[in-house]
Amino acid sequence: MKGQIDFAYTGLAQNAYGWWYVENGQIDFDYTGLAANAYGWWYVKRGQVDFGYTGLAHNGHGWWYVENGQVDFAYTGTVTWYGTDYNVKSGQVMFGSIRF
């Protein structure tokens, strides 16, 4: 921000080396989970968005299906993850639900 660090910023930021999870103005290399920006929800591993990740991930809103690093809110169906089948509706894992 105008050549200064914004110590109040928490979210995703992009530079020449990728997209990063920033907390209080600095990259959090320990963060693994989901983070959002204007383009959607993204899977972050050790501070960097992992555009190659496909699988399940969670945040405070539940478990989600991630494809190529981004939560796929359009996906409805079954996902097999580590040998277990999960029902997914609009990108969200539906625990305890019947099959679609």
Side-chain angles (χ1 to χ4, degrees), residues 56 63-66 71-76 88-93:
L56 302 181
W63 282 83
W64 302 90
Y65 173 62
V66 177
V71 172
D72 185 351
F73 292 107
Y75 183 81
T76 295
V88 176
K89 183 175 182 182
S90 299
Q92 187 170 23
V93 177

Side-chain angles (χ1 to χ4, degrees), residues 69-92:
Q70 184 176 25
V71 172
D72 185 351
F73 292 107
Y75 183 81
T76 295
T78 302
V79 172
T80 302
W81 195 55
Y82 289 103
T84 301
D85 291 336
Y86 295 91
N87 293 315
V88 176
K89 183 175 182 182
S90 299
Q92 187 170 23

Side-chain angles (χ1 to χ4, degrees), residues 49-70:
V49 172
D50 183 348
F51 293 104
Y53 180 77
T54 296
L56 302 181
H58 65 91
N59 63 10
H61 301 286
W63 282 83
W64 302 90
Y65 173 62
V66 177
E67 188 170 344
N68 299 319
Q70 184 176 25

Side-chain angles (χ1 to χ4, degrees), residues 10-77:
T10 295
L12 293 176
Q14 181 180 7
N15 69 14
Y17 303 102
W19 289 13
W20 302 89
Y21 179 74
V22 174
E23 188 168 347
N24 298 321
Q26 55 185 349
I27 295 173
D28 182 349
F29 291 104
D30 293 325
Y31 184 79
T32 295
L34 294 175
N37 68 7
Y39 304 105
W41 289 7
W42 301 90
Y43 178 72
V44 177
K45 184 176 181 180
R46 292 190 297 270
Q48 186 174 21
V49 172
D50 183 348
F51 293 104
Y53 180 77
T54 296
L56 302 181
H58 65 91
N59 63 10
H61 301 286
W63 282 83
W64 302 90
Y65 173 62
V66 177
E67 188 170 344
N68 299 319
Q70 184 176 25
V71 172
D72 185 351
F73 292 107
Y75 183 81
T76 295

